[in-house]
């Protein structure tokens, strides 16, 4: 059996749709972390709308959904100003943080801490701050709904 | 607050993919009842594949998914022989029962007992035999996944 | 270069949505023949709605769209009565003919004449009665629209 | 009957996937002009993949498909550098031109000349340089395929 792994703190340089958040401050609540890039086709077509849907569907619960803009390529194109326009055009209402740039311009800080393989990635964090699920690529809606309900229950 | 409603027993004249089942015999397990007709476009396009998907996704749990063929129109077209061909062509592996014909050729027995409005209808029954959810029409995958996980938890 | 092949006459035992039709009588008009079975998942999900869409989209032209119910399996399930219910439930308005049963209960007559490999199959016939295109499986909407426009032009 | 309208020349400040093009230089060939913005959800989900599909499907013909990046909002986000990343991520191979910025930072030049209402917009231009079709919003694949075949025929 795996030892439960503590979720590393997120490092965010700018927030949209929310005051600044930390996982430490959210301890006691389940958190869905959706790592995306605004120019990642799989994120735009599926992952990001799915996270936004979870945010709206579980609004009456204490689940917190956080979109994390983890830019690891095309840095000049995916600026915070561009992300702001993206959020506006796609009518995203979930909290969205910009993952802090890494040294040397490569992988951003939170992405590195979690060892994410790319975007979209989804991390579900339990009330006790441990990682319940860490997936890369397309997540099935039914499976995600079940996982969130388990984390809430 | 609503009084929890006991799920009426199902009345099935023929089973596919399963030995005969009763809700009484399944007491203690959550049950997803998917009422459909093989010539109902909304069932074929969405509801029935969704129930089959739930059957496969929660196979490691003690959820029981039951498809119920609730023929209330076009009786001559939707015979058990036709249903058998449908099950074969759509590769359905969940348990499927034919809802017992009502007197006078109208609504079948189980459909009447549950007061279903049409097909597809979905009823989620808790471990204690009470109805947790009763929906008509298209169900969202994420919401269904969450409801099943709650019933299991 | 291939020699243009003359389209064999269709053999239909019963018509829905239309008086009896023959390719001979339609000579001078382009004809789209959509071979399907009401229990064929690929037909129901894609091919048959696509043929119905072509029927409606090109209504102002002299294109004739004919659905051909080519039952080669599950004969007891896909009777004319069942087909009639299917046409009603799926709101099909194109002309639909039941392909004449073959001797021995296997492939029906028209299907054999055309050497169709299964359902869905689509045959586009030119104004001069020759076969312009014969495809098996999923047809792309854009490609089909272009082919029909060429046949009309 | 409408008088055929001559297609105004396009004004492009930068090209991707192509040497500079003009409608004058393309006279004699049909041209499909797809006006889009990289942050327009309807373009990304439908219009732009559709134009790319037409580009690939009619590659053996003399149809010319031109994507026109008509930025009329969020100018800071939709720079040529951002567009280049978008083209790379979405694997677009059709010719794409950046519509020349209008005076005052509003509607770009070509968009104004054509009186486009927004993005996505599609303009089909005949061999003689007249506008055959000008649509705004979602175009049906089958209808577009038919229109292109007519323009080619």
């Amino acid at each position: 059996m795996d030892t439960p792994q503590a979720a590393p703190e997120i490092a965010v340089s700018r927030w949209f749709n929310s005051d600044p958040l930390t996982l430490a401050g959210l301890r006691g609540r389940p958190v869905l972390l959706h790592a995306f890039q605004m120019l990642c086709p799989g994120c735009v077509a599926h992952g990001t709308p799915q996270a936004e849907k979870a945010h709206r569907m579980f609004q009456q619960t204490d689940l917190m959904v956080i979109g994390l803009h983890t830019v690891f390529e095309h840095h000049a194109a995916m600026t915070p100003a561009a992300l702001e326009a993206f959020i506006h055009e796609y009518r995203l209402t979930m909290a969205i943080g910009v993952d802090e740039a890494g040294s040397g311009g490569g992988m951003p800080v939170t992405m590195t801490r979690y060892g994410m393989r790319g975007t979209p990635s989804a991390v579900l964090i339990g009330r006790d701050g441990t990682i319940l699920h860490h997936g890369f690529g397309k997540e099935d809606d039914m499976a995600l709904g079940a996982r969130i309900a388990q984390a809430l229950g």
Side-chain angles (χ1 to χ4, degrees), chain A residues 32-140:
Chain A
L32 176 65
L33 212 56
H34 161 62
F36 73 105
Q37 294 182 103
M38 57 175 283
L39 290 183
C40 148
C43 302
V44 173
H46 187 78
T48 305
Q50 184 186 53
E52 174 71 16
K53 181 177 170 179
H55 165 65
R56 296 181 190 212
M57 184 170 288
F58 294 94
Q59 211 145 220
Q60 307 306 324
T61 72
D62 66 344
L63 174 74
M64 172 61 72
V65 177
I66 298 177
L68 192 67
H69 199 227
T70 53
V71 181
F72 62 91
E73 55 189 344
H74 308 303
H75 292 83
M78 295 191 275
T79 61
L83 177 61
E84 188 165 26
F86 177 81
I87 289 169
H88 175 80
E89 288 302 314
Y90 282 83
R91 287 154 177 66
L92 302 177
T93 61
M94 61 179 162
I96 292 178
V98 177
D99 196 0
E100 200 174 283
S103 55
M107 298 273 281
V109 174
T110 313
M111 204 179 182
T112 301
R113 285 184 189 163
Y114 278 85
M116 288 173 181
R117 296 163 54 200
T119 55
S121 282
V123 180
L124 187 61
I125 301 166
R127 296 188 186 284
D128 64 353
T130 60
I131 293 175
L132 302 176
H133 175 80
H134 183 162
F136 170 53
K138 192 168 183 174
E139 299 266 328
D140 181 86

